[in-house]
């Protein structure tokens, strides 16, 4: 982050110039300091962020938020990354939250700044990502008058946040920001917003914000009820064809180790949802990878035929379930979730276990041996089922045509990159076919290494999310697989990656189309390719160079390894414009609202469904 | 289309026996069972702060819950308001509505009232002023009061259960009804129980994980 906006004056500016006050000298002596008093609402906002442990903020300046930025100028603890667009700020904060587990913070001014954040907040809301947004607002006496750059930000964002606050008072604004921060990360994570009228942030106050605490109406459960755990364990012990379905909630609850332990102790096959990718190592023999519309055939076979599903931290999204009528139709469902409203929302839970996934997995682990004994069964009885799952892995193996000549196969690019990359490399994506190939052909083994837009499916998520991910984990390799359409939606954020000197490798799987749409048009609209082809696409390698990044063009399958290595070894943002076979489509596929067991492995099967 | 993978055709794959209904509930493969809508009265304590009504009503419209009525008013505690929300939904929807409401930050507690809870609604019916005596007579039948009268129009006020209000409005039909204004239901549990008791109970459970024994416990 070499050329970022200086939020605190560089040492040279004050040291030895005789202007230093006794106070700042004392602070400099002590090294890092924490402020302990405030004089304005804006300072109180900044103090609240410092107290909450925030480190990096992503934002864009503007009139109504200027007092907060001004207060940031003196912060020693907070670093600000200026983004090119507020949507970029919200996605970067979202990815920061996914990778670090702590709320990512984004800032915007009122009106257009705030509305530009909305997509990112909606995205975070659908994926339960911890994000806090601070938006400027016109002064309170103008609110409601259609003043310059006024938007009812609380009204606009309420449906896409856990809660949106309107700060009405300089004395309480800091405490509200702390509360929003705590709320974003406690219980089921999600975005929160605090709207900050300019007179409130400019107003005088000496009220130092309290500790970040969630409101007293918010009491997420921790442990599941012991009797419920015992009956769920009994159901699992009695099952013949059990599976674990691990969702994003496992990762959010830091329960991946517990999951690994539990699955291996009782030898139960593990399927993840798409947001759950990384919660269980995909190279483990019990892993069936992920299920759903473009999930593996073996995961979808297992999910369809299981008689007992331990579902943890998943909201049973329709891209996972297909038609609910045919989803795991033989299965008793044990549903572990911290949000009671997820229980029986889409799929009825026979055994609801409301609590934190980590705690509940531990509780279940304790209950299992007792349950086996009581049932007079043991994990051995699942052996036949495990063999069946293994047979499906062979029968429905994930394959694609190997490219000997052009055109280049996108799956090959992803697979090779996965082989060459560090084990803990983080992958982010845009939305479309490339996102599916990335999730299918990269082998994920660690939590918090898969960063993608699931619930909202936001094109343009790729470029800024890679920035947020890299800043959250500067020592980890970061790769972004993007589509040409998605890349163009937020390409301006490349300027940020260059300015901040972030070592990110962007791979644009370029099929000169919004490929996923084209795939559906070919499959379901008789090939009428309305508005899905991009005959006017720019050359992304050259575009990258114009931004000050390094650009590479990749067309020849024989050059895949070489160019990947060149891009990886370039110390800064690199963009690989990978010209892929435009005819390539994503399989397997469960048609929308279909039956998970009836996935198509190819176009012919799709036609028969 | 040649692309994709090889492997068994969908027709050749292992298939389970079971089935769920459109609400995701496992059912007997022979039977078709879905829950029919029922009426539920949700009594909700909320922080009395700006925006809370928009937040609650926004939740209901966004999630497509079928609202019959929603009333809101102050309670004896100036910080707390009470909303009475009548919805008509199949069982899973009622359950979902309660849980979604509980998730809102300004919501203090949510309780579904028993069907026998006291429910009252107020209606103002404005009819033609031509037959004041007849209007009076009908108003009397429903324990109503004439609250405004002029040669052109008479306005009658009636309180009662939803059924009574509906019957009354129908009875006034003969007088050329010009306007009907209904408030929607206000409701309260019978007996000594109050929502405050329920809330305190819930708070103790979430803090200690144990159900407290109080005088109002059943
Ligand atoms: C913001 C936004 N607009 C539209 C869509 C609809 N959509 C879903 S996938 C897709 C195609 C994406 O194209 P591209 O990024 O080029 O990726 P590809 O599918 O070609 O890999 C579109 C248009 C979306 N998901 N997000």
């Amino acid at each position: 982050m070499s050329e970022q906006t200086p939020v605190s004056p560089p040492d040279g500016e004050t040291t030895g110039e005789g202007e230093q006050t006794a106070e700042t000298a004392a602070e400099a002596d002590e090294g890092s300091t924490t402020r302990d008093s405030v004089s304005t609402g804006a300072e109180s906002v900044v103090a609240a962020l410092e107290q909450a442990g925030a480190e990096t903020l992503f934002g864009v300046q503007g009139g109504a938020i200027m007092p907060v930025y001004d207060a940031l100028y003196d912060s020693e603890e907070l670093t600000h990354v200026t983004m090119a667009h507020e949507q970029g700020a919200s996605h970067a904060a979202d990815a920061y939250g996914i990778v670090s587990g702590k709320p990512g913070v984004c800032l915007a001014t009122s009106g257009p700044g705030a509305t530009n954040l909305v997509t990112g907040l909606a995205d975070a809301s659908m994926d339960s990502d911890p994000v806090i947004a601070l938006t400027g607002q016109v002064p309170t006496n103008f609110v409601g008058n259609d003043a310059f750059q006024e938007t009812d930000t609380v009204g606009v964002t309420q449906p896409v946040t856990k809660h949106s606050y309107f700060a009405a008072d300089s004395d309480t604004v800091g405490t509200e920001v702390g509360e929003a921060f705590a709320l974003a990360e406690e219980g089921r994570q999600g975005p929160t917003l605090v709207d900050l009228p300019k007179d409130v942030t400019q107003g005088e106050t000496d009220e130092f914000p309290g500790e970040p605490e969630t409101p007293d109406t918010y009491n997420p459960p921790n442990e599941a009820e012991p009797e419920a755990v015992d009956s769920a364990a009994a159901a699992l012990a009695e099952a013949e064809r059990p599976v674990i379905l691990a969702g994003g909630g496992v990762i959010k609850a830091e329960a991946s180790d517990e999951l690994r332990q539990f699955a291996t102790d009782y030898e139960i096959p593990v399927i993840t949802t798409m947001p759950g990718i990384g919660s269980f190592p995909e190279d483990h023999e019990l892993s069936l990878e992920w299920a759903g519309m473009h999930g593996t055939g073996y995961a979808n076979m297992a999910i369809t035929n299981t008689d007992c599903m331990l579902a943890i931290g998943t909201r049973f999204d329709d891209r996972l379930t297909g038609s609910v009528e045919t989803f795991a139709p033989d299965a008793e469902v044990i549903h572990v979730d911290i949000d009671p409203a997820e229980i029986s929302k889409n799929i009825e839970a026979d055994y609801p276990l409301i609590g934190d996934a980590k705690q509940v997995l531990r509780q279940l682990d304790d209950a299992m041996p007792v349950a086996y004994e009581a049932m007079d069964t043991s994990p051995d009885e699942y052996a036949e089922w495990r063999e069946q799952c293994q047979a499906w892995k062979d029968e429905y193996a994930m394959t694609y045509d190997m490219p000997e000549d052009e055109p280049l196969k996108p799956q090959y690019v992803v697979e090779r990159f996965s082989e060459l990359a560090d084990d803990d490399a983080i992958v982010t994506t845009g939305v479309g076919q490339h996102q599916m190939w990335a999730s299918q052909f990269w082998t994920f083994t660690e939590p918090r290494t898969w960063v993608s837009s699931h619930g909202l499916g936001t094109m343009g998520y790729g470029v800024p999310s890679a920035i947020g991910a890299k800043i959250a984990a500067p020592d980890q390799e970061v790769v972004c697989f993007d589509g040409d359409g998605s890349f163009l939606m937020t390409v301006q954020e490349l300027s940020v990656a260059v300015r901040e000197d972030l070592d990110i490798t962007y791979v644009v799987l370029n099929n000169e189309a919004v490929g996923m749409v084209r795939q559906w048009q070919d499959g379901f609209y008789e090939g009428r390719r309305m508005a899905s082809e991009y005959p006017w696409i720019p050359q992304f390698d050259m575009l990258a160079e114009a931004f000050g990044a390094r650009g590479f063009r990749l067309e020849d399958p024989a050059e895949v390894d070489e160019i990947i290595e060149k891009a990886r070894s370039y110390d800064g943002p690199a963009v690989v414009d990978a010209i892929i076979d435009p005819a390539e489509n994503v399989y397997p596929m469960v048609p929308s609202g279909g039956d998970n067991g009836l996935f198509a492995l190819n176009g012919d099967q799709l036609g028969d469904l | 289309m040649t692309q994709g993978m090889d492997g068994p055709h969908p027709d050749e794959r292992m298939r389970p026996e079971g089935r769920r209904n459109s609400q995701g509930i496992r059912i007997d493969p022979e039977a078709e069972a879905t829950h029919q809508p029922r009426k539920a009265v949700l009594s909700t304590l909320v922080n009395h702060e700006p925006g809370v009504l928009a937040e609650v009503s926004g939740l209901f419209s966004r999630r497509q819950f079928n609202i019959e009525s929603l009333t809101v008013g102050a309670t004896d505690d100036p910080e707390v308001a009470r909303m009475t929300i009548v919805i008509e939904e199949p069982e899973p929807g009622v359950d979902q509505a309660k849980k979604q409401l509980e998730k809102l930050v300004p919501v203090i507690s949510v309780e579904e009232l028993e069907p026998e809870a006291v429910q009252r609604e107020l209606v103002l019916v404005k009819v033609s002023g031509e037959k004041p005596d007849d209007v009076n007579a009908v108003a009397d039948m429903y324990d109503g009061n004439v609250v405004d009268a002029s040669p052109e129009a008479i306005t009658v006020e009636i309180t009662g259960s939803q059924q009574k209000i509906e019957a009354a409005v129908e009875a006034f039909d003969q007088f050329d009804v010009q306007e009907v204004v209904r408030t929607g239901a206000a409701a309260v549990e019978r007996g000594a129980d109050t929502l405050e008791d329920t809330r305190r109970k819930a708070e103790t459970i979430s803090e200690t994980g144990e159900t407290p024994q109080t005088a109002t416990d059943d």
Side-chain angles (χ1 to χ4, degrees):
Chain A
M1 289 179 242
S2 55
E3 290 176 35
Q4 73 203 20
T5 323
V7 292
S8 48
D11 285 347
E13 270 180 30
T14 45
T15 317
E17 296 208 339
E19 290 171 4
Q20 216 175 356
T21 62
E23 208 177 296
T24 52
E27 281 176 6
D29 285 348
E30 286 166 24
S32 158
T33 56
T34 309
R35 85 178 65 214
D36 51 13
S37 68
V38 296
S39 59
T40 62
E43 284 182 21
S44 172
V45 169
V46 171
L49 291 173
E50 290 172 347
Q51 281 202 90
E55 286 168 357
T56 309
L57 322 176
F58 302 90
V60 178
Q61 262 279 24
I65 196 72
M66 274 171 72
V68 177
Y69 271 89
D70 190 61
L72 279 172
Y73 194 80
D74 297 322
S75 175
E76 310 222 334
E77 286 158 45
L78 300 173
T79 307
H80 179 265
V81 180
T82 304
M83 300 298 289
H85 186 291
E86 290 86 354
Q87 184 187 349
S90 56
H91 291 325
D94 178 89
Y96 182 95
I98 295 173
V99 171
S100 71
K102 293 186 299 184
V105 186
C106 52
L107 286 96
T109 195
S110 65
T115 55
N116 277 349
L117 285 182
V118 174
T119 302
L121 295 177
D123 191 292
S125 171
M126 291 287 264
D127 290 350
S128 310
D129 297 333
V131 170
I132 153 164
L134 303 177
T135 48
Q137 183 55 279
V138 300
T140 37
N141 61 333
F142 284 119
V143 168
N145 293 354
D146 301 329
F148 177 64
Q149 295 195 325
E150 182 190 354
T151 295
D152 172 10
T153 302
V154 169
V156 169
T157 58
Q158 211 160 47
V160 295
T161 58
K162 259 176 106 167
H163 191 59
S164 292
Y165 294 80
F166 181 84
D169 192 331
S170 310
D171 287 341
T172 50
V173 63
T175 300
E176 264 167 343
V177 168
E179 191 174 297
F181 200 99
L183 190 61
E185 69 181 332
E186 261 184 57
R188 178 176 180 173
Q189 299 185 328
T192 58
L193 178 141
V194 188
D195 201 28
L196 304 165
K198 197 167 183 178
D199 56 325
V200 170
T201 48
Q202 278 175 330
E204 285 181 17
T205 180
D206 54 10
E207 290 291 327
F208 195 77
E211 286 291 307
E213 265 178 40
T214 56
D216 55 11
T217 52
Y218 188 75
N219 298 296
N222 190 20
E223 291 198 347
E225 285 178 22
E227 305 87 73
V229 172
D230 291 342
S231 14
L236 207 49
E238 201 181 18
E240 289 170 7
R241 308 188 301 275
V243 294
I244 296 172
L245 176 67
V250 172
I251 298 171
K252 313 264 165 182
E254 301 286 357
S256 292
D257 289 343
E258 283 75 7
L259 170 66
R260 211 171 291 203
Q261 184 72 41
F262 189 85
T264 40
D265 278 358
Y266 309 110
E267 297 198 67
I268 302 173
V270 180
I271 298 163
T272 73
T273 67
M274 203 172 161
I277 287 175
S279 61
F280 191 77
E282 293 188 327
D283 55 1
H284 194 287
E285 61 172 354
L286 286 168
S287 170
L288 298 173
E289 295 162 65
W290 58 280
M293 181 176 280
H294 292 297
T296 64
Y298 28 100
N300 280 321
M301 285 305 288
I303 223 166
T304 304
N305 289 287
T306 174
D307 66 350
C308 184
M309 173 187 290
L310 170 58
I312 313 167
T314 170
R315 61 190 179 86
F316 293 111
D317 177 81
D318 55 280
R319 288 274 147 137
L320 167 75
T321 62
S323 161
V324 293
E325 289 163 37
T326 48
F327 180 77
D330 270 355
E332 298 220 277
V333 173
I334 304 164
H335 191 178
V336 180
D337 209 291
I338 196 154
D339 181 356
E342 284 310 325
I343 304 294
S344 301
K345 185 184 76 179
N346 295 335
I347 296 293
E348 192 189 38
D350 304 283
Y351 302 94
L353 299 179
I354 302 171
D356 174 72
K358 196 178 179 90
Q359 296 297 333
V360 178
L361 268 170
R362 287 180 180 166
Q363 288 178 284
L364 271 172
D365 202 27
D366 290 342
M368 282 308 284
V370 188
Y372 280 123
E373 200 162 336
M375 291 286 159
D376 200 17
T377 53
S378 82
D380 296 344
E381 322 224 340
Y382 309 147
E384 204 178 315
W385 169 242
R386 281 195 301 273
E387 277 163 31
Q388 174 64 69
C389 291
Q390 188 54 52
W392 282 328
K393 269 178 147 173
D394 300 334
E395 216 169 356
Y396 300 103
M398 295 293 289
T399 55
Y400 56 92
D401 293 337
M402 277 301 289
E404 263 130 43
D405 298 310
E406 293 169 20
L408 182 61
K409 296 291 175 184
Q411 299 96 327
Y412 180 70
V413 178
V414 173
E415 205 168 58
R416 284 310 305 155
F417 208 137
S418 178
E419 298 278 316
L420 294 168
D422 297 347
D423 286 344
D424 65 349
I426 296 168
V427 176
T428 88
T429 72
V431 165
Q433 293 180 313
H434 62 277
Q435 177 190 27
M436 298 303 142
W437 290 316
S439 54
Q440 290 176 334
F441 290 92
W442 192 279
T443 306
F444 292 91
T445 55
E446 296 295 328
R448 303 193 185 282
T449 57
W450 167 241
V451 180
S452 197
S453 168
H454 303 104
L456 198 66
T458 311
M459 285 172 72
Y461 183 78
V463 185
S465 65
I467 292 172
K470 187 69 193 177
I471 288 175
D475 299 332
Q476 273 167 267
E477 181 172 0
V478 173
V479 189
C480 171
F481 288 101
D482 222 336
D484 38 61
S486 291
F487 192 68
L488 277 177
M489 286 202 177
T490 48
V491 66
Q492 67 274 27
E493 304 301 343
L494 258 188
S495 63
V496 179
V498 171
R499 172 178 19 89
E500 301 289 331
D501 195 19
L502 301 176
D503 191 5
I504 298 169
T505 311
Y506 289 98
V507 181
V508 183
L509 296 176
N510 186 350
N511 53 9
E512 298 196 352
V514 281
M516 189 56 100
V517 170
R518 195 183 51 193
Q519 172 166 351
W520 283 46
Q521 287 170 332
D522 289 354
F524 310 110
Y525 292 84
E526 296 160 357
R528 291 153 60 92
R529 296 180 171 184
M530 178 69 192
S532 61
E533 289 174 304
Y534 279 177
W536 59 87
I537 217 110
Q539 274 183 261
F540 294 117
D541 52 339
M542 291 175 69
L543 191 63
E545 297 282 345
F547 273 107
R550 275 303 302 278
F552 300 90
R553 188 176 165 90
L554 171 60
E555 230 169 334
D556 182 352
E559 290 180 354
V560 168
D561 282 22
E562 184 194 328
I563 291 190
I564 287 174
E565 284 300 14
K566 273 190 184 155
R568 287 186 70 217
S569 60
Y570 175 67
D571 189 16
V575 175
V576 178
D577 190 3
I579 313 300
I580 60 161
D581 181 358
E584 194 62 44
N585 279 338
V586 183
Y587 291 105
M589 178 175 194
V590 180
S592 184
D595 176 335
N596 279 344
L598 302 184
F599 50 87
L601 289 166
N602 50 53
D604 292 340
Q605 293 188 353
L606 191 61
D608 293 345
L609 284 177
Chain B
M1 277 180 262
T2 50
Q3 283 182 344
M5 302 156 196
D6 298 328
H9 193 271
D11 294 345
E12 299 155 19
R13 295 180 197 152
M14 183 170 158
R15 302 284 308 156
E17 302 263 290
R19 213 154 69 81
R20 292 178 189 274
N21 66 17
S22 58
Q23 293 154 340
I25 301 170
R26 270 203 309 151
I27 50 171
D28 175 353
E30 304 299 310
E32 182 58 65
T34 45
H35 286 278
Q36 292 309 307
R38 71 172 178 91
K39 205 159 111 174
V41 181
L42 306 183
S43 200
T44 306
L45 294 179
V46 299
N47 285 338
H48 203 180
E49 64 189 26
V52 56
L53 177 60
E55 196 165 347
V56 169
S57 60
L59 166 75
F60 277 75
S61 72
R62 174 164 92 245
R63 297 210 175 252
Q64 300 278 296
F65 295 128
N66 208 350
I67 287 202
E68 276 203 358
S69 76
L70 191 163
T71 62
V72 54
T75 63
D76 51 333
D77 179 345
E79 311 253 290
V80 176
R82 179 161 171 152
M83 290 189 190
T84 307
I85 306 164
V86 184
I87 56 170
E88 204 169 316
E89 279 287 328
E91 195 59 51
V94 172
D95 202 41
Q96 196 38 226
K98 283 193 254 183
K99 290 175 184 167
Q100 290 292 346
L101 258 178
E102 271 164 6
K103 271 171 71 166
L104 298 182
V105 169
V107 169
I108 300 164
S109 67
V110 181
E111 194 63 25
E112 181 178 352
L113 300 185
E114 303 287 329
E116 57 270 20
V118 181
Q119 285 186 49
R120 288 292 179 271
E121 184 174 359
L122 165 71
V123 67
L124 297 171
V125 189
K126 186 182 281 189
V127 298
S128 147
E130 274 169 22
K131 299 179 183 160
D133 295 346
D134 296 359
V135 171
N136 249 320
V138 174
D140 276 350
M141 273 169 58
Y142 291 95
D143 299 322
N145 297 314
V146 171
V147 289
D148 182 52
S150 72
E152 291 82 35
I154 303 171
T155 300
V156 179
E157 160 208 80
I158 300 155
T159 12
S161 69
Q162 197 194 6
Q163 296 88 321
K164 177 177 160 188
I165 300 285
E166 261 149 33
V169 171
E170 214 166 288
F172 280 106
D173 239 2
Q174 52 179 311
F175 304 116
D176 183 16
V177 173
Q178 290 162 11
E179 214 160 11
V180 175
V181 182
R182 290 173 66 161
T183 58
V188 72
E189 203 70 89
R190 287 187 191 272
D193 264 4
T194 69
L195 223 53
E196 266 300 306
D197 298 333
T198 332
R199 158 162 81 136
R200 273 191 219 110
K201 230 190 286 178
E203 265 175 19
T204 334
I205 294 172
S206 76
E207 275 157 27
T208 64
E210 280 166 29
T211 318
Q213 298 301 311
T214 69
T216 54
D217 250 359
D218 298 331

